[in-house]
Amino acid sequence: MRCLVVGHVTRDVIRKGSKVEERLGGGAYYSALALTRFCTVEILTSFSSLPEEWMGELKRVGKLRVVQSDSTTTYELTYTSPSERTLRLLERAGEIGSLPAEKYELIIINPVANEVPPHLVGEALKRGKLVAVDAQGFLRTFKNGEIELTELNASFLRGIGVLHAEKGELKQLRGLSPGDVESFLITDGPNPGIAHHRGRAYRFYPVKVEVEESTGAGDVFLASFSGFYLQCPFIQSLRRALAFTALFLERRSIDFPMEDVGRLSLEAKVEHIKG
């Protein structure tokens, strides 16, 4: 099974108190990493250069399709708590203007800096059995590195299989209702989220684990849900994705047995919202 992930991989400068480290990041990287447990992965991305160690990691995750750029998207992430952070854009790579001509079982579009034009979603719908999108990168605008969320005519997302957005992003989406996508996942960090699936609404509860930081959580959640959704019914996919994401956050790795996911998914609560 072949999967394609579209979006910038990034150079992340992580600040936690007096501790500073640089590492590979970006929604495309974390989604692709999670998808290695489900399929053969390709990453369509753009950057100028990355450390050799990071390039090796990307190549272990999947086949790279790189749109050459004069710069590499770089974010500064300053954590004030495990689930709270501020982001600042230091540098941005170029736009990703087209998709490969091949067909895929799953295409995930996960931009982080408005690098994916909306028309690529329409292209993806022609080439992917399941198309999943994260709204975050379509909503961001930048002024002197500071990130703001802008209103978006999101009608181009109608007809996709999976859409993920954070609760605070919802008010920026225009021209789109939950019924316009097959599965709409709305997260709120460690707090309960809302999911809409084919006209029915559900409340879901993240599995509680010890977390040092939340980087990549939404990207792993989107990817793991999409991977499970290719194989399982909606509720089962949602519960397993909650467990998969919890294990990732706890261990900062996806190298855990799927049996652990199955066991932990029993603790993932999903309830139908009546009315």
Side-chain angles (χ1 to χ4, degrees):
M1 186 168 70
R2 298 175 64 211
C3 301
L4 176 68
V5 181
V6 184
H8 283 170
V9 296
T10 65
R11 181 191 300 270
D12 284 352
V13 181
I14 310 289
R15 298 185 179 274
K16 298 178 185 176
S18 61
K19 182 181 178 182
V20 181
E21 66 172 308
E22 291 192 16
R23 63 173 184 244
L24 179 64
Y29 166 66
Y30 286 110
S31 285
L33 182 65
L35 280 187
T36 60
R37 302 300 303 274
F38 301 91
C39 57
T40 300
V41 180
E42 297 180 22
I43 306 170
L44 176 60
T45 189
S46 181
F47 56 82
S48 59
S49 63
L50 293 171
E52 184 176 341
E53 180 182 354
W54 296 5
M55 287 296 296
E57 168 63 14
L58 283 174
K59 290 176 180 178
R60 286 189 292 273
V61 169
K63 177 181 178 181
L64 281 178
R65 294 177 177 264
V66 181
V67 179
Q68 290 301 318
S69 176
D70 293 331
S71 54
T72 298
T73 298
T74 302
Y75 272 106
E76 181 182 66
L77 298 86
T78 302
Y79 275 88
T80 55
S81 75
S83 61
E84 295 181 353
R85 67 185 185 184
T86 59
L87 276 74
R88 182 177 174 82
L89 182 69
L90 305 182
E91 189 174 280
R92 181 184 180 275
E95 183 176 280
I96 300 171
S98 62
L99 299 180
E102 291 91 333
K103 299 284 188 178
Y104 297 90
E105 290 294 303
L106 169 63
I107 298 177
I108 292 182
I109 297 179
N110 194 349
V112 292
N114 230 330
E115 71 271 23
V116 177
H119 74 83
L120 284 198
V121 175
E123 286 191 31
L125 285 169
K126 298 174 184 176
R127 299 177 190 177
K129 179 180 177 180
L130 177 66
V131 175
V133 175
D134 197 300
Q136 64 173 356
F138 289 104
L139 295 169
R140 290 176 177 174
T141 59
F142 308 92
K143 183 176 181 180
N144 299 322
E146 300 297 327
I147 298 173
E148 296 180 357
L149 296 182
T150 186
E151 286 190 6
L152 174 73
N153 180 350
S155 58
F156 67 93
L157 297 172
R158 293 173 184 168
I160 66 172
V162 184
L163 175 62
H164 170 252
E166 294 182 2
K167 181 180 178 181
E169 297 168 346
L170 284 181
K171 61 184 179 181
Q172 306 300 329
L173 297 175
R174 297 288 183 265
L176 188 76
S177 63
D180 291 331
V181 300
E182 188 170 323
S183 299
F184 193 170
L185 310 176
I186 304 161
T187 55
D188 187 20
N191 304 311
I194 300 294
H196 297 268
H197 178 68
R198 296 178 177 173
R200 293 171 67 89
Y202 302 85
R203 183 173 290 105
F204 61 87
Y205 298 80
V207 180
K208 300 298 183 182
V209 292
E210 292 293 326
V211 176
E212 290 189 4
E213 65 172 86
S214 59
T215 304
D219 312 308
V220 168
F221 179 61
L222 172 64
S224 59
F225 172 84
S226 301
F228 286 123
Y229 193 51
L230 287 171
Q231 311 165 16
C232 307
F234 172 78
I235 297 294
Q236 187 177 15
S237 299
L238 181 55
R239 293 177 67 173
R240 289 185 176 184
L242 290 167
F244 191 103
T245 304
L247 289 170
F248 163 76
L249 288 172
E250 183 179 55
R251 306 177 189 185
R252 298 304 304 177
S253 167
I254 51 90
D255 295 328
F256 41 75
M258 279 298 193
E259 290 80 3
D260 289 359
V261 176
R263 285 192 292 269
L264 192 59
S265 70
L266 300 176
E267 301 180 23
K269 184 180 177 182
V270 178
E271 58 188 22
H272 176 232
I273 301 174
K274 298 180 181 181

